[in-house]
């Protein structure tokens, strides 16, 4: 499974030839196909579970994250599969959806450890996964997820688990404010925007209530007014989409389009109003991870094959991804000991570096000893080269800035200033 050939090009004959050339193992392609069974799939699942249980370099008491037991960021990525797998991995609906696989990925930002890596059918939506996995959320953990995962049931479950959430507010979501007489009324966003414009406020904050499964949950609403050009871009996009459907953009949407809105039950003494957007933006690191999975590890390239073979190949790739993540995190942590400047190795570039040496990595694992030491020495030497460094981009949050924040090298205010410099 540690083959550099992409999944849509890797044949049984290739596997047979590899085993013969490298290890003197004579086995037919039919015999290899027979070994792709539910037992092989279960073996790889167990290996992944063991890897997920390993923690690398806990920073439990450092930086602003000390207020939480864990900071869990989750997202998913999906990709098309051959129609032959549609019976096992259904699409999201519609004739064009065919067969679709979805990978649920979550990592604990506080410990930089992968906590969830699960293969599901594309028809199993994020919101359903989120609701079904509420029981896994622990007390005093912070959960950051995008709108696809958020529902009233999810928010209610997080509160019942005595945990915390930080999410965007849906563009049509109704929130309520408590009046002086104890009654509740829907928040008037037009009046809120007018007040912010009048008083020249870049941000605002209110205590609001959201209807979750018939229960009114109290939370903070953090509002940030957008620049004129960003607002204009949002409206142009909304009008294009509305025109395709023969509709018009509503006045309510035009008001809300001026605002970025976040909801959270984290206290203001822990999460400042002006820091909400930055903390939520850490979620975008997952998008960079998914990009690397698809471009470097080619997880989305699958040719027609039986279910067990597909799952074995994909789980093997996911296991390699976990190994790469742990090596990347450990290497950055080790290189920073006693250093004034944090190591700035790009996650995507590191994956490419390791993937290019995949067969050497396999031999290092098998032979251990000097093979293993030599491989790691060469990998570290090349990873520390200038070509592997991150190229800073204005306004972006790099993985290394996240590391700096977690390792308490710089505080959240310094990070915010650095990404805007």
């Amino acid at each position: 499974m540690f083959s550099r050939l992409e999944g849509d090009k890797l044949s049984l004959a290739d596997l047979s030839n590899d085993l013969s050339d490298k290890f003197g193992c004579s086995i037919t392609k039919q015999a290899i196909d027979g070994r792709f069974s539910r037992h092989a799939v279960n073996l790889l699942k167990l290996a992944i579970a063991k890897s997920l249980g390993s923690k690398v370099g806990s920073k439990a008491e450092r930086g602003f994250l000390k207020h939480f037991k864990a900071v869990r960021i989750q997202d998913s990525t999906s990709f098309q599969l051959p129609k032959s797998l549609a019976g096992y991995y259904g699409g999201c609906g519609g004739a064009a959806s065919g067969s679709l696989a979805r990978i649920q990925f979550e990592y604990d930002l506080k410990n930089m450890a992968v906590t969830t890596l699960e293969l599901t059918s594309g028809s199993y939506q994020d919101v359903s996964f989120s609701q079904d996995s509420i029981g896994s959320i622990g007390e005093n953990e912070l959960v950051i997820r995008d709108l696809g995962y958020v529902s009233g049931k999810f928010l209610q479950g997080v509160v019942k688990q005595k945990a915390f959430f930080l999410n965007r507010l849906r563009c049509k979501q109704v929130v309520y404010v408590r009046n002086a007489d104890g009654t509740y009324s829907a928040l008037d966003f037009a009046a809120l925007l007018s007040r912010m414009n009048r008083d020249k406020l870049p941000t605002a904050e209110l205590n609001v209530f959201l209807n979750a499964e018939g229960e009114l949950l109290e939370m903070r609403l953090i509002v940030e007014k957008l620049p004129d050009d960003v607002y204009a871009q949002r409206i142009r996009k909304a009008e294009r989409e509305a025109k395709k459907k023969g509709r018009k953009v509503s006045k309510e949407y035009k008001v809300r389009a001026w605002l970025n809105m976040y909801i959270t039950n984290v206290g203001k003494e822990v999460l400042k109003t002006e820091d909400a957007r930055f903390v939520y933006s850490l979620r975008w690191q997952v998008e960079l991870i998914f990009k690397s999975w698809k471009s470097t590890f080619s997880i989305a390239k699958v040719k027609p094959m039986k279910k067990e073979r597909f799952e074995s190949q994909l789980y093997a790739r996911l296991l390699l991804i976990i190994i790469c993540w742990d090596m990347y995190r450990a290497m950055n942590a080790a290189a920073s000991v006693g250093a004034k400047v944090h190591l700035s190795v790009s996650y995507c570039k590191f994956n490419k570096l390791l993937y290019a040496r995949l067969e050497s990595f396999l031999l290092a694992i098998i032979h251990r000893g000097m093979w293993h030491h030599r491989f790691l020495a060469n990998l570290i030497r090349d990873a520390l080269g200038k070509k592997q460094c991150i190229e800073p981009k204005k306004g972006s949050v790099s993985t290394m800035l996240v590391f700096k924040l977690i390792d308490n090298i710089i505080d959240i205010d310094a990070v915010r200033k650095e990404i805007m410099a």
Side-chain angles (χ1 to χ4, degrees):
M1 294 295 90
F2 269 48
S3 172
R4 286 192 62 205
L5 289 176
E6 296 173 349
D8 60 341
K9 297 183 178 65
L10 183 63
S11 69
L12 294 171
D14 292 326
L15 292 173
S16 177
N17 291 334
D18 266 1
L19 288 169
S20 177
D21 294 343
K22 295 173 183 172
F23 308 106
C25 176
S26 180
I27 183 171
T28 65
K29 63 181 185 179
Q30 290 82 7
I32 291 176
D33 186 56
R35 282 162 171 75
F36 285 117
S37 64
R38 63 182 179 88
H39 302 295
V41 174
N42 288 337
L43 171 65
L44 287 163
K45 282 184 176 180
L46 287 171
I48 287 176
K50 183 174 177 63
S51 295
L52 292 180
S54 301
K55 303 299 181 184
V56 179
S58 173
K59 303 294 180 184
E61 300 302 326
R62 298 193 174 185
F64 84 105
L65 300 179
K66 66 183 179 182
H67 300 284
F68 308 105
K69 184 179 178 181
V71 179
R72 301 170 59 163
I73 298 180
Q74 183 164 356
D75 208 340
S76 69
T77 185
S78 58
F79 51 93
Q80 291 291 141
L81 297 177
K83 291 183 179 180
S84 58
L85 294 169
Y88 307 102
Y89 296 92
C92 297
S97 63
S99 181
L100 194 71
R102 189 185 305 275
I103 297 175
Q104 293 290 346
F105 173 73
E106 181 186 68
Y107 75 100
D108 177 4
L109 178 65
K110 186 168 184 176
N111 298 297
M112 281 297 172
V114 178
T115 53
T116 298
L117 194 59
E118 187 172 334
L119 172 65
T120 71
S121 170
S123 59
Y124 188 33
Q125 297 294 322
D126 292 342
V127 65
S128 299
F129 186 92
S130 189
Q131 293 173 359
D132 293 343
S133 59
I134 286 174
S136 68
I137 299 172
E139 185 176 342
N140 207 36
E141 293 182 345
L142 173 61
V143 182
I144 303 175
R145 296 179 184 173
D146 74 1
L147 288 175
Y149 288 88
V150 180
S151 65
K153 184 177 179 180
F154 165 74
L155 296 177
Q156 186 183 51
V158 173
V159 173
K160 287 184 177 179
Q161 293 293 105
K162 297 182 179 178
F164 301 94
F165 59 82
L166 172 63
N167 302 111
R168 293 285 291 271
L169 181 70
R170 292 185 179 278
C171 62
K172 295 182 180 180
Q173 184 82 53
V174 178
V175 292
Y176 301 90
V177 292
R178 184 156 49 196
N179 303 316
D181 59 0
T183 60
Y184 297 88
S185 58
L187 175 63
D188 187 339
F189 284 96
L192 173 61
L193 178 62
S194 177
R195 178 169 66 85
M196 292 178 70
N197 287 333
R198 182 193 67 212
D199 298 338
K200 298 181 180 180
L201 298 174
T203 62
E205 181 174 329
L206 302 89
N207 282 343
V208 298
F209 297 82
L210 190 147
N211 190 336
E213 302 293 307
E215 176 187 2
L216 286 179
L217 294 180
E218 186 173 7
M219 60 195 70
R220 296 166 62 198
L221 173 66
I222 299 171
V223 181
E224 175 188 50
K225 187 174 180 294
L226 296 175
D228 294 352
D229 57 335
V230 177
Y231 168 76
Q233 186 178 358
R234 277 190 179 183
I235 292 298
R236 284 196 298 269
K237 182 179 178 180
E239 289 177 340
R240 283 197 301 267
E241 294 298 321
K243 188 176 181 180
K244 291 178 183 177
K245 299 176 182 179
R247 303 173 184 171
K248 290 185 177 181
V249 179
S250 67
K251 292 182 179 179
E252 176 72 10
Y253 180 87
K254 289 181 178 180
V255 170
R256 291 200 181 200
W258 275 107
L259 308 170
N260 271 341
M261 295 177 286
Y262 306 91
I263 52 175
T264 184
N265 60 339
V266 179
K268 192 171 184 178
E269 68 281 1
V270 175
L271 181 64
K272 300 176 184 177
T273 301
E274 61 270 22
D275 290 331
R277 178 169 65 90
F278 168 73
V279 175
Y280 184 81
S281 72
L282 298 178
R283 188 186 61 82
W284 286 103
Q285 290 299 302
V286 180
E287 297 296 326
L288 299 178
I289 291 170
F290 288 159
K291 179 181 178 181
S292 180
W293 288 7
K294 290 182 176 180
S295 63
T296 302
F297 296 104
S298 304
I299 62 169
K301 295 183 178 180
V302 183
K303 66 180 182 179
M305 62 181 69
K306 69 179 186 180
K307 173 178 176 284
E308 292 77 13
R309 182 180 166 194
F310 158 67
E311 290 179 349
S312 293
Q313 289 187 180
L314 183 59
Y315 280 127
R317 288 290 195 220
L318 296 181
L319 178 58
L320 177 62
I321 284 168
I322 296 172
I323 293 170
C324 285
W325 175 260
D326 283 347
M327 291 178 70
Y328 172 69
R329 174 71 178 112
M331 186 178 295
N332 277 286
S336 298
V337 175
K340 294 182 179 180
V341 180
H342 217 67
L343 179 65
S344 298
V345 178
S346 162
Y347 173 67
C348 294
K349 290 179 180 179
F350 179 79
N351 283 343
K352 291 178 181 179
L353 188 67
L354 187 62
Y355 195 74
R357 293 160 172 76
L358 200 52
E359 293 179 356
S360 297
F361 189 22
L362 171 62
L363 294 173
I365 292 172
I366 292 173
H367 295 295
R368 308 295 291 180
M370 286 304 300
W371 283 77
H372 196 237
H373 296 315
R374 187 182 301 116
F375 172 79
L376 288 178
N378 291 338
L379 181 68
I380 292 170
R381 179 200 64 204
D382 292 342
L384 297 181
K386 291 183 179 179
K387 292 182 179 180
Q388 306 304 321
C389 291
I390 291 174
E391 297 172 1
K393 296 179 181 178
K394 182 178 180 180
S396 66
V397 184
S398 73
T399 305
M400 293 315 307
L401 281 178
V402 175
F403 285 159
K404 287 182 180 181
L405 177 65
I406 293 168
D407 292 344
N408 207 26
I409 292 174
I410 53 179
D411 60 23
I412 190 170
D413 292 323
V415 173
R416 185 151 35 84
K417 290 176 181 177
E418 186 167 337
I419 65 173
M420 297 307 293

